[in-house]
Amino acid sequence: MADSLKKVPVREQDPKVRATNFEEVCLGYNKDEAVEEAQRCLGCKNAKCVEGCPVSISIPDFIANVKEGKFEEAYKVISESSSLPAVCGRVCPQESQCEGKCIRGIKGEPVSIGKLERFVADWARENNIKPEPPKEKLGKKVAVIGSGPAGLTCAGDLAKLGYDVTIFEALHKAGGVLVYGIPEFRLPNSVVDVEIDNLKKIGVKFVTNFIVGMTDSVEDLKAEGFKAFYVASGAGLPRFMNIPGENYNGILSSNEYLTRVNLMGADSEDSDTPVYRGKNVVVVGGGNTAMDSVRTAKRLGAERAMIVYRRSEEEMPARLEEVKHAKEEGCEFITLTNPVEYIADERGRVKQVRVQKMALGEPDASGRRSPVPVEGSEYTIDADVVVVAVGVSPNPIVPNSVKGLEISRKGTIVVNDETMQSNLSEFFAGGDIVRGGATVILAMGDGRRAAKHIDEMFKAN
């Protein structure tokens, strides 16, 4: 029996090796390790971990099955609540959700719920275990716009209830932010492909290269018999800082940088898609996307891959695991520092970033202390590539194409937080198009709530 106060450690690629490849960093538990870690779960009756899960997975029940080696049963328990367990097990911020509420964490380390979920999902995939298709079809058509985590979850839940669901995706490949935004070393596209294939098995249809509002209008879809819509078109519009020199060559958004590598395979020598590779790469920002970008830069051969962040490391919104992995791989952290200008060479290619040191002042609306510039503290950092990862804005095409839809000042769709219903009764929305940039699991929670209330709306009529 392991030390019940400590998690069973999870195997990872050696940092020096993984910083040169795009293979998955975390190798996950094997059967014995999973069973041993599951033994640490106390099986609480009023489990706090479930309260911390945005999709309300019955965590003690699935872990109880893992304890007994009943992995297929564990998968069935998870699948009742989650359409994307292999994804969540890899990219959820468990430390602030389920594991953050785990009783074990009071005196020792919480149970490794995320790694157990990943183990179960991977076991099911390797053993070709598939979710069950619905027993009856209702013959009612629902359109889901966007195939990211919010759209996939809503579609999965509705398909299980017997609805005829079609997902419309603007890109050539389904998966949304899961395939264009999250690097292979954190979430392999092959894992996402299997989750999507599972949704096809239960009847979800996918139409790619289709922009609702441009390829066809919502009115056209209504004419085809769609009676309800769930908008999950995400927040793929990059934000910049509007500082001098931002249009120089070699400066790009994290969206573009990660999409070129993750979705278009620009890391491969055989790819038709080019990507900026630099010796000195500066990534501006402190969230998960910034960590993904700086770790990608390292893998593309950067000698110096640097995070420049205007607050201190304690204020960084990125997951602790991401920061730890980035440091292990040799990425540098230049905190309490903010870019103020970009300087280019005679060909218009960025060569330096002028930065200013910052100090932390009073807390802002989010509770984090606001950064204040330190006068006379400016200096330059050599950089031949800059990746700006300071947030995203909602994709405007779908909201702007629907007449009468209420949209906020920030371009997000306004919905009832309980039902995810907009001011137009047949329109529901969730994920980043409602929240701005947020996490995969919060988007999934929105998808689940929307599916429940779309079903209730149909039943009431």
Side-chain angles (χ1 to χ4, degrees):
M1 181 71 189
D3 176 358
S4 62
L5 294 178
K6 287 210 176 296
K7 293 178 177 182
V8 174
V10 70
R11 290 162 294 118
E12 293 177 346
Q13 270 199 76
D14 177 88
K16 285 195 173 58
V17 176
R18 72 183 192 231
T20 64
N21 68 48
F22 278 83
E23 286 156 33
E24 199 166 6
V25 167
C26 177
L27 304 175
Y29 285 147
N30 61 28
K31 282 185 193 177
D32 294 341
E33 290 163 341
V35 171
E36 189 180 330
E37 178 61 23
Q39 306 290 346
R40 298 182 60 237
C41 176
L42 301 169
C44 308
K45 285 284 172 280
N46 297 319
K48 297 286 182 200
C49 55
V50 180
E51 289 174 22
C53 173
V55 295
S56 308
I57 291 171
S58 184
I59 294 166
D61 292 347
F62 104 72
I63 294 181
N65 281 307
V66 176
K67 276 183 197 179
E68 294 177 28
K70 296 179 181 170
F71 305 137
E72 186 170 351
E73 290 304 313
Y75 179 68
K76 283 180 180 164
V77 172
I78 297 172
S79 296
E80 283 168 15
S81 306
S82 174
S83 300
L84 308 169
V87 171
C88 288
R90 286 168 166 84
V91 302
C92 259
Q94 286 100 2
E95 65 281 354
S96 61
Q97 292 176 336
C98 52
E99 293 179 20
K101 297 258 198 279
C102 175
I103 300 295
R104 271 267 181 235
I106 295 172
K107 282 192 175 161
E109 293 181 337
V111 175
S112 228
I113 299 167
K115 298 287 187 282
L116 289 174
E117 180 181 21
R118 171 190 162 152
F119 165 78
V120 169
D122 288 357
W123 182 91
R125 183 174 71 250
E126 284 152 18
N127 288 276
N128 211 27
I129 308 295
K130 299 288 181 190
E132 297 285 315
K135 293 198 172 36
E136 59 170 329
K137 285 288 211 173
L138 302 173
K140 291 176 178 170
K141 291 173 78 170
V142 181
V144 172
I145 302 167
S147 66
L152 294 174
T153 300
C154 183
D157 280 15
L158 287 170
K160 285 173 196 166
L161 293 168
Y163 289 94
D164 184 352
V165 186
T166 303
I167 294 183
F168 295 95
E169 168 55 48
L171 295 175
H172 63 284
K173 183 175 166 71
V177 74
L178 303 174
V179 293
Y180 76 73
I182 302 177
E184 292 264 333
F185 55 80
R186 260 206 317 140
L187 177 64
N189 283 352
S190 58
V191 170
V192 182
D193 292 345
V194 172
E195 301 279 45
I196 286 169
D197 196 51
N198 285 343
L199 291 175
K200 289 178 180 172
K201 291 271 192 302
I202 61 170
V204 178
K205 299 182 196 73
F206 286 81
V207 179
T208 52
N209 296 309
F210 193 108
I211 302 175
V212 174
M214 291 179 82
T215 312
D216 269 344
S217 69
V218 163
E219 297 309 316
D220 294 329
L221 295 178
K222 284 182 180 174
E224 286 179 32
F226 287 98
K227 301 289 187 207
F229 297 82
Y230 178 62
V231 184
S233 50
L237 193 64
R239 271 195 215 147
F240 286 93
M241 295 168 66
N242 297 321
I243 60 178
E246 212 160 36
N247 292 328
Y248 288 135
N249 288 332
I251 299 171
L252 66 170
S253 70
S254 53
N255 291 51
E256 182 182 344
Y257 187 63
L258 292 172
T259 299
R260 283 174 180 272
V261 177
N262 302 341
L263 184 63
M264 313 300 288
D267 53 302
S268 157
E269 298 298 325
D270 311 327
S271 175
D272 295 338
T273 303
V275 70
Y276 282 119
R277 294 170 187 254
K279 255 194 350 185
N280 300 310
V281 180
V282 162
V283 176
V284 184
N288 289 331
T289 305
M291 296 308 135
D292 288 344
S293 301
V294 80
R295 295 172 69 196
T296 295
K298 195 76 184 166
R299 286 160 172 76
L300 291 176
E303 289 171 20
R304 291 188 76 192
M306 299 163 267
I307 285 280
V308 171
Y309 179 58
R310 63 193 187 132
R311 290 182 164 98
S312 71
E313 196 177 310
E314 286 69 45
E315 275 83 15
M316 274 189 181
R319 291 185 68 189
L320 295 175
E321 183 177 67
E322 297 304 304
V323 174
K324 172 178 167 282
H325 282 160
K327 286 183 172 175
E328 287 171 354
E329 290 161 13
C331 301
E332 296 174 48
F333 283 65
I334 303 170
T335 54
L336 287 169
T337 302
N338 206 33
V340 289
E341 184 187 1
Y342 298 110
I343 300 158
D345 62 19
E346 61 284 351
R347 292 171 306 136
R349 171 82 186 247
V350 68
K351 65 173 185 177
Q352 287 181 320
V353 184
R354 184 180 294 285
V355 296
Q356 183 172 32
K357 290 192 174 174
M358 311 293 276
L360 290 178
E362 295 303 309
D364 63 9
S366 71
R368 291 187 298 170
R369 289 169 67 195
S370 295
V372 181
V374 176
E375 281 189 36
S377 65
E378 293 184 10
Y379 67 102
T380 57
I381 298 171
D382 288 343
D384 44 8
V385 176
V386 175
V387 181
V388 182
V390 293
V392 284
S393 298
N395 290 327
I397 295 170
V398 179
N400 293 347
S401 73
V402 181
K403 285 196 191 88
L405 186 65
E406 189 183 348
I407 301 167
S408 76
R409 204 170 40 79
K410 291 182 175 171
T412 54
I413 296 174
V414 178
V415 296
N416 174 315
D417 292 344
E418 284 301 304
T419 63
M420 309 311 292
Q421 192 169 26
S422 73
N423 63 314
L424 304 176
S425 62
E426 73 273 34
F427 272 88
F428 294 73
D432 289 358
I433 193 69
V434 165
R435 297 173 177 273
T439 62
V440 166
I441 190 68
L442 287 173
M444 290 177 64
D446 291 351
R448 286 212 80 194
R449 273 201 304 288
K452 176 173 179 277
H453 291 286
I454 289 169
D455 178 47
E456 284 176 6
M457 177 185 78
F458 275 116
K459 284 179 175 156
N461 295 332

